[in-house]
Amino acid sequence: MRSIILPTLLWYCIVFYVIGVLGDVGTASSYDPPYLPTKCGGYNEDQFPPDALFAAVGDGLWDNGASCGRKYRIRCISAPNRPCKVRSIVVQVVDLCSQDPCPTTLKLSNKAFDAISKIDAKVTVEYAQ
């Protein structure tokens, strides 16, 4: 019994600390400025996190506006031509996707998208709140 617990515990540590995300799978793309106004904070520039890692979300995550301010850890997991960078980031929700229906689960600020992908194209991501 003890020999099973240690490898299992080690596996969980790798998943949560090295990989960084274990959650739902969706898609992400970037969106360009102007970022104001937003559905969450209107024209208030203080709504944006200082690191400029933020996102607009589609209807599935919007939750009638309750998602404003939520933070998601995101990791690129696949796309054509292997564009994913090996890291995860945390983004803050500041807006509802302006397109209806939204073409991706998350629309990331340019800085956020550049942090996870080498190319400007829709990618598959893993995300968790």
Side-chain angles (χ1 to χ4, degrees), residues 7-66:
T8 303
L9 185 59
L10 181 61
W11 184 83
Y12 280 115
C13 288
I14 290 170
V15 168
F16 288 112
Y17 295 106
V18 175
I19 296 174
V21 177
L22 185 62
D24 295 319
V25 174
T27 56
S29 60
S30 65
Y31 75 110
D32 295 322
Y35 297 121
L36 293 173
T38 69
K39 296 283 185 186
C40 293
Y43 286 96
N44 183 358
E45 291 189 18
D46 293 336
Q47 68 184 305
F48 298 108
D51 59 10
L53 301 178
F54 56 88
V57 296
D59 288 329
L61 294 177
W62 180 241
D63 195 17
N64 291 321

Side-chain angles (χ1 to χ4, degrees), residues 78-84 118-119 121:
S78 71
N81 301 321
R82 299 178 187 218
C84 297
K118 299 173 195 168
I119 62 170

